[in-house]
């Protein structure tokens, strides 16, 4: 299936690691121009280098998605290098777990600002380009946790919030042929989950309780994102695609 991604420009936030890096590599493989964006300059540059070494087109950009000026500069760099922006993947996110009564305000703010405000700032910065060209794809990384996870009130609020944000974006921008969708992965084996102190226990439990008995790989999510970003998904908007192996 030709996804029609060749020559399109895609910004992927949080693309220096895990799921974002797999999405960036997948876009590079499909012939897209990839803006590999991350708060960590070295990891963004390394993933961009991988893509160009493999014959693709990529630009590594250091940007904190919670910083409006950095987000504007990131979009300006994308437009300067590749002419416009067709695709935005709001992937940057992190967790600071704890029961609500034990959760600090700073842990709440960090998780909500990175996941939700970051998606808002990036979306607002790219929409004028997508509107002008009457073509755009915005995909935001939710999570199975949008249903609520104990110890993850901040993270669950972000992941549910991204679904509401996605539905509002879809309603506001459909007439300009801009689609907005969310992807909700289950447990995906990335540095993010591997850094959890109970990683092995969580992984073994996930394998036992998932209809497809394995943990997900970042490439499983990248495949779903590539489809939603493609020409083949032009009539799908305001939706949530779960990539959970059937575990809810
Ligand atoms: P990861 O920790 O491997 O990668 C996240 C990347 O985001 C890192 O490179 C980090 O430097 C970057 N980042 C953090 N704060 C940032 C900021 N303010 N501005 C720009 N970049 C920033 O995590 P992973 O697992 O690849 O997760 C990616 C997304 O997928 C996150 O939104 C996460 O919540 C979501 N997700 C992950 C799941 C999993 O099981 N790994 C399951 C469901 C959702």
């Amino acid at each position: 299936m030709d996804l029609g991604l060749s020559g399109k420009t895609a910004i992927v936030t949080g693309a220096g690691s895990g799921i974002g890096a797999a999405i960036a590599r997948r876009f590079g493989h499909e012939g897209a121009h990839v803006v590999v964006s991350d708060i960590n300059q070295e990891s963004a540059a390394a993933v961009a280098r991988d893509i160009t070494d493999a014959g693709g087109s990529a630009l590594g950009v250091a940007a904190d998605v919670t910083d409006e000026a950095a987000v504007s500069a990131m979009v300006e760099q994308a437009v300067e290098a590749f002419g416009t922006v067709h695709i935005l993947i709001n992937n940057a996110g992190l967790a600071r777990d704890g029961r609500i009564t034990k959760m600090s305000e700073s842990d709440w703010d960090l998780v909500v600002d990175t996941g939700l405000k970051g998606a808002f700032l990036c979306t607002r910065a790219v929409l004028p380009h997508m509107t002008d060209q009457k073509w755009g794809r915005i995909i935001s990384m939710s999570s199975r946790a949008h249903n609520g996870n104990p110890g993850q009130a901040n993270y669950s609020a972000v992941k549910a919030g991204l679904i509401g944000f996605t539905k509002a974006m879809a309603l506001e921008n459909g007439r300009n042929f801009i689609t907005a969708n969310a992807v909700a992965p289950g447990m995906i084996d990335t540095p993010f989950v591997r850094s959890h102190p109970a990683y092995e226990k969580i992984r073994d439990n996930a394998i036992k309780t998932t209809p497809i008995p394995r943990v997900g790989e970042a490439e499983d999510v990248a495949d779903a994102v590539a489809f939603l970003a493609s020409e083949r998904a032009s009539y799908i908007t305001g939706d949530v695609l779960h990539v959970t192996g059937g575990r809810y």
Side-chain angles (χ1 to χ4, degrees):
M1 180 164 66
D2 177 14
L3 295 178
L5 290 168
S6 181
K8 295 276 189 327
T9 300
I11 296 178
V12 186
T13 69
S17 172
I19 292 171
I23 294 168
R25 290 195 179 98
R26 180 65 199 268
F27 282 143
H29 182 73
E30 294 292 333
H33 304 295
V34 195
V35 178
V36 181
S37 175
D38 202 284
I39 195 169
N40 182 323
Q41 181 166 20
E42 276 174 30
S43 62
V47 173
R49 212 176 309 117
D50 282 355
I51 294 170
T52 51
D53 285 353
S57 167
L59 177 73
V61 175
D64 176 349
V65 293
T66 68
D67 177 342
E68 185 185 12
V71 167
S72 296
M74 169 186 78
V75 173
E76 272 168 34
Q77 277 179 267
V79 171
E80 202 172 295
F82 303 124
T84 186
V85 178
H86 299 97
I87 299 161
L88 169 67
I89 312 300
N90 286 317
N91 170 75
L94 41 73
R96 289 291 180 277
D97 296 353
R99 294 268 164 183
I100 294 168
T101 48
K102 300 250 169 15
M103 187 175 287
S104 68
E105 190 177 343
S106 61
D107 279 351
W108 174 272
D109 286 346
L110 178 67
V111 172
V112 173
D113 282 357
T114 306
L116 211 43
K117 180 180 164 185
F120 159 65
L121 290 177
C122 293
T123 300
R124 194 178 61 174
V126 300
L127 269 176
H129 301 284
M130 295 180 177
T131 303
D132 282 352
Q133 73 210 5
K134 300 252 179 292
W135 199 100
R137 299 279 187 272
I138 301 172
I139 297 156
S140 298
M141 203 53 64
S142 180
S143 161
R144 195 181 69 97
H146 74 77
N147 289 314
N149 259 351
Q152 288 199 311
N154 47 4
Y155 188 77
S156 300
V158 167
K159 297 310 186 184
L162 281 173
I163 292 175
F165 181 56
T166 294
K167 289 179 186 293
M169 278 194 280
L171 293 171
E172 282 189 17
N173 296 290
R175 293 209 167 266
N176 290 317
F177 302 97
I178 299 165
T179 69
N181 291 288
V183 171
M187 186 181 171
I188 307 295
D189 201 9
T190 68
F192 170 64
V193 289
R194 265 177 251 138
S195 68
H196 196 286
Y199 164 69
E200 285 177 11
K201 199 171 148 208
I202 294 171
R203 184 199 56 198
D204 293 348
N205 181 52
I207 293 170
K208 260 190 240 147
T209 55
T210 301
I212 295 173
R214 64 171 177 85
V215 288
E217 302 294 338
E219 289 71 23
D220 293 316
V221 182
D223 284 339
V225 169
F227 168 66
L228 288 173
S230 77
E231 292 289 0
R232 307 281 79 81
S234 60
Y235 205 53
I236 301 171
T237 194
D239 224 324
V240 185
L241 179 53
H242 287 80
V243 184
T244 62
R247 182 172 180 242
Y248 289 92

